[in-house]
Amino acid sequence: MAAPESGDGNNGAARMVTLISSDNTRFEVEAAAASLSQTLQLTILDGGGGGGDGIPLPNVDSATLSKVLEYCIKHAPAAANGGAPNATAVDRAELERFDNEFVNIDQSVLYSLIMAAHNLEIEGLQSLVAKKVADMIKGKSPMEIRRTLGFPDPTPEEQAEMNAHMLEYGWAYE
Amino acid sequence: MSHRRRPGSPVPASPLENDDILSEILLLLPPAPSSLSRASLVCKRWRRLVSDRVFLRRFRAHHRRNAPLLGFFTRTSRGPSFTPTLDAPNRLPRWRFSLKLDEGCKIFGCRHGLVLFLNRLRRYLLVWDPVTGDVSRVAFPPGFTGGEGMHGAVLRAASYVHNGDHHSIPFLVALVANDEGDAQVVAHLYSSVTGLWGDAISTACPSMLPMYIPSALIGGSLYWMLGVSSFGILEFDIDRQRLAVIDLPPNILTYNWGRHCIMPTEGGSLGFLSLSDYIAELWMMKKGSDGVARWVLGRTIELDQLLSLDLDTVKGFPPLIFGFAEEDNVSFLGTSDVVYMVQLESMQFKKPFKLSILDNYHSFASVYTAGLGIDDGSQLLGNA
């Protein structure tokens, strides 16, 4: 395995790593972007992922991984600034716009992203996708929540139990 | 709704089947009272997750900085009475918050989801968290005499102490009182973390602390009205542990209940509302070029125009301020037979509700999670 570069990027060429999706697609990406993932960060710090090796990600397919990397590449500069305390309002607004646009996606893609963000431990992405689901169900009745999330209709037993609890919280459905 | 996938392709587990992931999602639901009770009805698993004590504590901690204004407390002979102000489905029933009190308990005010009572006769203060049901009794500081005038305030410390699984409500209590033949004011600060009162601090003060006007928290300081013989404002800077007496804005020589109120300015500094008939004056404390802070008249609002009151048909009294909600800068303005909740800065207000009590409205904001696995958590803490 090749020794890792000094990593400060002063020589102009940022260190790259290769990630391999579950369907064997290779993605070459800057180590700084991949390091937004807590799990990948450890491997990268150990010098992994460089050269011809690549880091296999058996739980993430290529469609999801390319989406995840889109997020990481966009957020890497701000993350490198330690959460960007001195980021301009314009930068922050741009990231917010990107985030809003980013989660404007199909539920199945969203679910894959949630899984990937969880497995790869990408904190910002985890909150972003969790917030998206929370926004999808906020203000909805229990039945509407079930439908929104594609749960099967409740069995008669479940329905009876729901009704019983509904009485308890009747004020919330006035 | 379950549509079949092509045979052979693996069925991806829904991320919502993972308890950790689902908890993180539910944690981000808005802190409106109906959020968790509705989520709890989705299915058994969801109910288990949102009834979990650790989850509920996290939910309250996560949202406590933007806790919604649930309503207000007023006093009755039987104890505090709650009036909800949110609309359905977040409108809590009146009976949701009730507490049996010793005789002689008097409500001093609410802040940060806590209610403070005084029992002068038995020499203690009581801090109540209506959502969790926790009650803490705090005995007067040792040697505390307290003159005629006395008041208090409760607040949560800026840095929230997360005590893990320990069931506790970290808070501070300030107690201020006239002393020394009422020539000075003494202040004491209690911390629930140490369970102790700090050293008393004092300042010369010719005025009395009326017992009936709640405190205001602006920046890191608490403020109380001073009155009776001469008028002013008492300032207790909590971090610097310093007391000061501040003059009222010019031309305000006396104050009347309902006509005057200490409130923060738009910029978050000390402000003062003065009502005279249908005119509201908003004063603010501003530093001049000489570095000295002075009262400056900010905006003047014609309340009859703002609230579209037809003065020819309106009966009763011009608007009085019954209370002020620090969380969202809402004033409770009562006039004739209705109460308006007005945000004077943005000039926005909600549909008024019927006036039933002419008294202090102690506004109450909190992250409501009661009924979800914490009701059995009621316990008397630190019984002094």
Side-chain angles (χ1 to χ4, degrees):
Chain A
M1 190 179 295
E5 300 281 0
S6 60
D8 55 14
N10 280 346
N11 54 9
R15 184 184 156 197
M16 305 298 282
V17 292
T18 303
L19 307 176
I20 307 165
S21 67
S22 60
D23 44 355
N24 262 325
T25 309
R26 299 173 73 87
F27 291 83
E28 212 187 1
V29 59
E30 282 186 21
S35 294
L36 255 55
S37 152
Q38 296 288 314
T39 36
L40 289 179
Q41 194 180 46
L42 293 175
T43 316
I44 293 168
L45 281 176
D46 281 349
D53 284 354
I55 305 169
L57 301 172
N59 293 325
V60 191
D61 63 35
S62 56
T64 308
L65 185 54
S66 81
K67 190 87 181 143
V68 167
L69 291 177
E70 186 191 337
Y71 174 89
C72 291
I73 290 164
K74 188 76 185 179
H75 279 263
N81 283 342
N86 49 3
T88 65
V90 178
D91 290 342
R92 278 197 300 270
E94 163 58 18
L95 272 188
E96 204 178 306
R97 187 205 59 77
F98 171 88
D99 283 355
N100 287 335
E101 190 69 23
F102 185 79
V103 289
N104 193 7
I105 44 176
D106 259 23
Q107 201 155 315
S108 61
V109 182
L110 179 65
Y111 278 15
S112 306
L113 270 181
I114 295 174
M115 246 18 239
H118 179 73
N119 290 331
L120 294 170
E121 292 179 73
I122 305 168
E123 212 176 300
L125 184 57
Q126 281 176 289
S127 321
L128 179 63
V129 288
K131 184 76 177 58
K132 170 72 179 179
V133 181
D135 286 345
M136 281 161 56
I137 59 178
K138 74 175 178 194
K140 291 198 159 82
S141 73
M143 210 55 180
E144 287 166 341
I145 294 175
R146 289 184 71 115
R147 294 206 175 109
T148 302
L149 299 179
F151 291 6
D153 282 342
T155 62
E157 293 83 47
E158 281 177 317
Q159 186 65 57
E161 203 186 344
M162 272 170 88
N163 293 347
H165 284 276
M166 191 103 70
L167 285 177
E168 192 180 333
Y169 301 123
W171 54 267
Y173 307 93
E174 279 168 7
Chain B
M1 291 278 293
S2 57
H3 40 238
R4 260 174 213 293
R5 301 190 142 248
R6 267 174 293 132
S9 69
V11 179
S14 164
L16 304 188
E17 280 164 29
N18 179 313
D19 281 0
D20 291 340
I21 292 176
L22 183 57
S23 291
E24 291 310 308
I25 291 169
L26 297 175
L27 189 68
L28 299 180
L29 284 173
S34 68
S35 279
L36 292 188
S37 39
R38 285 178 158 198
S40 78
L41 293 181
V42 167
C43 64
K44 241 188 195 141
R45 198 176 129 252
W46 283 41
R47 184 150 54 250
R48 176 174 53 76
L49 284 182
V50 300
S51 309
D52 178 72
R53 279 157 176 269
V54 177
F55 173 81
L56 290 170
R57 240 194 322 274
R58 282 186 68 207
F59 189 79
R60 287 195 295 273
H62 182 84
H63 293 287
R64 75 184 187 101
R65 288 279 169 218
N66 55 348
L69 177 62
L70 301 177
F72 58 87
F73 283 99
T74 46
R75 58 177 172 174
T76 70
S77 54
R78 281 161 288 112
S81 161
F82 176 71
T83 305
T85 54
L86 284 173
D87 296 326
N90 293 308
R91 190 178 181 79
L92 296 170
R94 281 175 174 274
W95 47 263
R96 264 291 150 170
F97 302 128
S98 60
L99 180 68
K100 269 219 181 92
L101 293 168
D102 285 342
E103 209 171 309
C105 273
K106 191 190 139 39
I107 184 166
F108 262 167
C110 305
R111 184 168 293 112
H112 299 161
L114 300 172
V115 190
L116 180 68
F117 300 94
L118 162 80
N119 193 320
R120 198 166 185 161
L121 201 66
R122 301 194 187 183
R123 301 176 57 79
Y124 68 81
L125 295 148
L126 203 71
V127 177
W128 176 42
D129 182 335
V131 171
T132 62
D134 288 336
V135 174
S136 301
R137 194 159 137 160
V138 180
F140 279 5
F144 175 79
T145 48
E148 191 75 358
M150 183 192 290
H151 217 295
V154 65
L155 64 152
R156 298 234 198 235
S159 55
Y160 184 66
V161 188
H162 218 7
N163 278 2
D165 270 2
H166 188 54
H167 203 63
S168 75
I169 39 170
F171 58 80
L172 300 171
V173 175
L175 182 63
V176 285
N178 291 102
D179 199 6
E180 296 273 325
D182 297 336
Q184 66 170 17
V185 163
V186 185
H188 301 261
L189 190 66
Y190 172 89
S191 157
S192 74
V193 175
T194 59
L196 297 170
W197 288 96
D199 292 337
I201 55 169
S202 62
T203 191
C205 174
S207 314
M208 288 283 287
L209 269 160
M211 304 252 313
Y212 51 88
I213 302 176
S215 64
L217 176 69
I218 302 172
S221 295
L222 286 162
Y223 296 89
W224 289 269
M225 292 289 253
L226 292 164
V228 187
S229 51
S230 65
F231 298 89
I233 294 170
L234 178 67
E235 179 185 58
F236 180 13
D237 185 325
I238 293 170
D239 291 334
R240 298 203 186 100
Q241 288 282 303
R242 210 174 52 196
L243 281 173
V245 175
I246 299 169
D247 287 339
L248 291 184
N251 308 326
I252 299 172
L253 302 175
T254 63
Y255 75 81
N256 295 303
W257 180 86
R259 291 274 171 78
H260 301 115
C261 182
I262 303 166
M263 60 172 67
T265 64
E266 222 160 321
S269 61
L270 176 62
F272 193 88
L273 169 74
S274 169
L275 296 174
S276 166
D277 272 340
Y278 290 88
I279 304 290
E281 286 180 349
L282 289 166
W283 291 83
M284 47 195 172
M285 194 54 105
K286 262 200 166 160
K287 256 199 185 124
S289 50
D290 55 358
V292 179
R294 289 187 189 82
W295 286 109
V296 178
L297 180 58
R299 278 191 313 154
T300 299
I301 300 165
E302 292 176 45
L303 293 173
D304 51 331
Q305 296 199 357
L306 173 67
L307 305 174
S308 306
L309 303 173
D310 181 356
L311 294 189
D312 292 333
T313 58
V314 166
K315 293 189 196 80
F317 54 87
L320 293 176
I321 180 157
F322 292 175
F324 180 75
E326 293 170 350
E327 287 79 4
D328 20 17
N329 285 353
V330 165
S331 303
F332 291 92
L333 295 182
T335 174
S336 303
D337 53 357
V338 289
V339 179
Y340 291 87
M341 292 171 67
V342 187
Q343 212 167 24
L344 289 170
E345 276 146 20
S346 65
M347 308 269 267
Q348 293 189 338
F349 60 93
K350 290 205 331 184
K351 194 168 84 74
F353 57 89
K354 208 171 159 305
L355 169 67
S356 53
I357 313 150
L358 246 171
D359 200 352
N360 282 319
Y361 287 9
H362 299 284
S363 69
F364 180 68
S366 189
V367 181
Y368 180 82
T369 56
L372 290 161
I374 56 166
D375 275 356
D376 54 337
S378 313
Q379 49 183 291
L380 204 67
L381 291 179
N383 203 342

